[in-house]
Amino acid sequence: MSSKSIDREAPVQVALVIHPDREGRASSRDAEARLEEAVGLAQALDLEVREMVVAPLRRLTPATLFGKGKVEEIGDLARQTEADVVVVDDALTPVQQRNLEKAWDCKVIDRTGLILEIFARRARTREGRLQVELARLTYERSRLVRTWTHLERQRGGFGVMGGPGETQIETDRRLIAEKIAKLKKELVEVRRTRTLQRSARRRVPFPTVALVGYTNAGKSTLFNRLTEAEVVAEDMLFATLDPTLRSLKLPDGRPAILSDTVGFISDLPHELVEAFRATLEEVREADVILHVRDIASEESDAQAGDVREVLERLGVDMDERRVLEVWNKMDVLAPEDRESVAGDARRGHPPAILVSAVTGEGCEALLKAVSSLVDEAPPVDVYAPAGEGAAIAWLYRNGRVLERNEGKDGSVRLAVSLSAQALGQFEQLFPQAEVRAH
Ligand SMILES: Nc1nc2c(ncn2[C@@H]2O[C@H](COP(=O)(O)OP(=O)(O)OP(=O)(O)O)[C@@H](O)[C@H]2O)c(=O)[nH]1
Ligand SMILES: [Mg+2]
C-alpha cells in the first residue's frame, strides 16, 4: 500500500497477473482465456492490472511452484511494473506463497484467495457475510493443517512436543475452530429465519424458477428484463452474491417466482461451494432451472461444463424436464453465425432458447417454454364430500378447473389442472378430499 496516498479511499493497488499453464492439465480451455478470466477476477477486486502473462510450467518446483529462472523473470517484471501484488492463478501452498512473497518482495495471492476476497467484499446480507467468513476460515484452517504437517516433517519426526512454531499453530487452530463453531451457530439462526420465510412463500403455490450460470453470463440482466427489477448487473465477475427473488408473470397470466443467484466459475474453491450450499437451496428446490449461458463467448461450452459440475456437486437434480438452457447475448453474434447457433439450439434436449437480455429478443419464447414446463402435471379428479366448500374454493383459486359435477348428496367432483406443488399442498390441507388421475 502506498504511504503517499492521502485519499480516504483505499489506494489502487497495482497487480501483475500470472497464469501458470500446467502442461497436460485436463482442461478444455486455452491458457489465454484463463489468463483473461484471472485478470477479470483481479479487476473485480479493483486491482489495476498492469501486466499479465501466461507462464508455462513444465516441471513443478515444490518450494516455489515455478522454477528458479521463472521466479527471477517474474520478479523482474514485478519490479518493472511496480506491482504491489502478484496474482498467481492457481492454488499455492502456504509455503509457496511465503517463498514467492520473499522472492518478489510483494504480496502474493492465489486463485482461491482472490475469489474468497471478492466474495467477502460483495456479500451484502448477513447470511452472505457469515457464509463467506466461514469459507475463509475453513480455507485458512486447511492451510494451517498443511503447514503444521510440513513443520513436523521438517523436525524429522522426533516427536518433541511444543516447538515454538507448533504452539503458535496449535493456538491459531484452536482460535479458528472456536470462530468456526460460533459462525456456524449464527448461521443456523439466520437460516432458520430464512427457512420460515421460504415456507411462507411455499404456501403460495406458485412455480419457482431459478437462474444459474457462469459469472458474467447475464443472469441479473435477464432477471431485470423478465421482472422489470433493478438488480445490479455489471460487466464484472461475481456482481451478484446474495440471492434475489421477484415475482414474474407467465404468458398465460399465472405468476411465478424468479430467483437470481451467485455465478459460478471454474475451479470454484470447494469451501465456497460448501458455504453457499444453503443459499443455493433456492436452486435445488426450484421447479425450473434456467441455465444462462453467454453464447457469444469462446469459452461457452467449457463454462457450461463447469456450471453443470458445480450443480452436480451441490446435489441438484439436472433432470431435463426441469433444466432449460438459455443462450444469452445473441445480439453479440455476428449475423452470419446466428443461423448455425440457432440450429444448434434447436437440436438440444430440450431445445435451448436463444435470447438477448439486453434487447429483449427471445424473452417471450423463453417465458412460454417455462410456462409449458410448469404446466406439465396432467389434470386430476378431485372428489369432495358435502360440506367441503373450502377445498373447492381453494381449487378454484389455485388451479384451473376444467369440469364440475355436483352429486345429489352435496358432494362435488372437479377435474382440475394444478401445478405439482399446488397438488401436494392441497393434499396436505384437505386430506378428506379424494384425488385420482383424470
Ligand atoms: N450484449 C449483451 N450484453 C449482455 C447481455 N446480457 C448481459 N450482458 C452484459 O453482460 C455483463 C454481465 O451481466 P450480468 O447480468 O451482471 O451477469 P451475471 O450473470 O448476473 O453475473 P454475476 O452476477 O457476476 O454472476 C453486463 O455488462 C451486461 O450488460 C446480452 O444479452 N447482450
Ligand atoms: Mg449477477
Side-chain angles (χ1 to χ4, degrees):
M1 222 174 270
S2 156
S3 54
K4 277 170 284 176
S5 169
I6 48 160
D7 263 353
R8 237 170 282 153
E9 287 181 20
V12 171
Q13 299 224 344
V14 173
L16 166 61
V17 178
I18 313 287
H19 173 71
D21 187 16
R22 293 177 183 243
E23 235 174 12
R25 184 180 175 134
S27 160
S28 47
R29 292 151 192 263
D30 72 58
E32 284 299 327
R34 285 188 162 263
L35 177 65
E36 231 172 83
E37 182 175 276
V39 168
L41 287 172
Q43 284 164 341
L45 257 191
D46 298 326
L47 294 173
E48 182 194 323
V49 178
R50 209 166 275 172
E51 189 69 69
M52 47 181 125
V53 235
V54 171
L57 259 191
R58 294 221 166 69
R59 244 174 338 110
L60 294 182
T61 310
T64 47
L65 184 68
F66 305 100
K68 195 158 171 276
K70 222 7 146 231
V71 171
E72 277 167 19
E73 208 179 292
I74 297 170
D76 288 342
L77 196 56
R79 259 187 306 283
Q80 278 164 30
T81 49
E82 299 180 329
D84 302 298
V85 50
V86 176
V87 174
V88 178
D89 184 32
D90 205 315
L92 291 175
T93 66
V95 176
Q96 288 169 344
Q97 186 179 3
R98 222 171 314 132
N99 288 339
L100 289 175
E101 285 187 337
K102 235 183 270 161
W104 296 336
D105 192 25
C106 66
K107 220 162 91 179
V108 172
I109 183 166
D110 73 351
R111 185 178 174 87
T112 302
L114 193 60
I115 295 176
L116 283 171
E117 191 65 36
I118 297 171
F119 274 59
R121 288 215 195 160
R122 296 273 184 282
R124 290 285 170 269
T125 62
R126 196 164 133 66
E127 182 175 13
R129 281 200 298 269
L130 289 171
Q131 287 177 140
V132 173
E133 186 56 20
L134 183 62
R136 197 143 63 154
L137 285 171
T138 315
Y139 173 64
E140 263 176 42
R141 183 176 61 179
S142 72
R143 293 165 79 79
L144 279 178
V145 170
R146 253 180 278 155
T147 317
W148 191 69
T149 44
H150 166 81
L151 281 180
E152 229 181 14
R153 236 180 295 120
Q154 265 192 341
R155 286 192 289 116
F158 283 111
V160 186
M161 296 301 289
E166 185 183 328
T167 310
Q168 186 53 49
I169 287 161
E170 293 271 84
T171 315
D172 289 354
R173 281 180 72 184
R174 188 171 45 75
L175 287 178
I176 288 186
E178 279 168 13
K179 273 199 219 159
I180 287 179
K182 191 164 161 270
L183 276 175
K184 281 190 172 159
K185 250 212 219 111
E186 282 181 62
L187 262 172
V188 167
E189 192 47 41
V190 174
R191 280 181 188 150
R192 207 174 54 86
T193 320
R194 195 167 51 82
T195 310
L196 285 179
Q197 284 163 357
R198 197 173 44 225
S199 50
R201 203 165 59 238
R202 279 280 160 196
R203 247 171 270 137
V204 186
F206 299 153
T208 53
V209 181
L211 297 173
V212 300
Y214 209 78
T215 178
N216 228 35
K219 298 176 296 298
S220 298
T221 312
L222 187 62
F223 181 85
N224 290 341
R225 158 74 55 183
L226 298 177
T227 65
E228 287 156 22
E230 273 168 42
V231 167
V232 179
E234 261 184 278
D235 190 5
M236 177 168 62
L237 302 182
F238 297 120
T240 308
L241 209 58
D242 301 306
T244 316
L245 301 165
R246 272 284 151 76
S247 70
L248 164 86
K249 271 258 184 308
L250 294 175
D252 55 11
R254 273 182 308 162
I257 290 173
L258 186 67
S259 67
D260 184 17
T261 51
V262 57
F264 299 156
I265 197 163
S266 67
D267 303 322
L268 194 63
H270 70 92
E271 291 90 351
L272 270 178
V273 176
E274 278 312 309
F276 278 79
R277 192 179 277 275
T279 311
L280 289 164
E281 263 162 40
E282 303 287 357
V283 176
R284 213 170 353 183
E285 292 183 0
D287 296 300
V288 178
I289 295 176
L290 298 181
H291 176 181
V292 182
R293 294 177 50 179
D294 174 354
I295 209 61
S297 161
E298 304 242 323
E299 298 297 312
S300 195
D301 286 338
Q303 295 177 347
D306 289 325
V307 169
R308 286 188 209 109
E309 197 190 303
V310 179
L311 288 175
E312 270 159 30
R313 258 159 81 195
L314 285 166
V316 172
D317 174 13
M318 299 291 279
D319 189 324
E320 61 186 38
R321 279 164 304 178
R322 189 171 168 238
V323 184
L324 257 188
E325 284 203 9
V326 181
W327 291 5
N328 190 31
K329 307 202 187 181
M330 69 182 288
D331 58 300
V332 185
L333 293 174
E336 64 271 22
D337 292 338
R338 279 191 174 207
E339 214 28 66
S340 76
V341 173
D344 290 344
R346 275 194 300 272
R347 279 188 290 278
H349 297 285
I353 315 268
L354 208 51
V355 305
S356 164
V358 162
T359 67
E361 220 173 326
C363 287
E364 210 161 306
L366 171 61
L367 289 178
K368 276 198 190 122
V370 170
S371 172
S372 70
L373 278 185
V374 293
D375 216 22
E376 262 175 2
V380 288
D381 278 329
V382 179
Y383 170 79
E388 293 295 334
I392 302 297
W394 194 95
L395 289 172
Y396 272 96
R397 247 193 341 271
N398 295 296
R400 207 147 39 90
V401 174
L402 309 170
E403 237 177 82
R404 177 184 179 122
N405 293 303
E406 285 173 31
K408 288 198 189 84
D409 55 356
S411 66
V412 178
R413 196 179 295 277
L414 292 182
V416 57
S417 166
L418 284 170
S419 71
Q421 280 128 302
L423 181 59
Q425 225 175 342
F426 177 78
E427 288 177 321
Q428 273 191 349
L429 287 171
F430 304 100
Q432 58 284 26
E434 217 177 281
V435 179
R436 288 211 201 105
H438 181 59

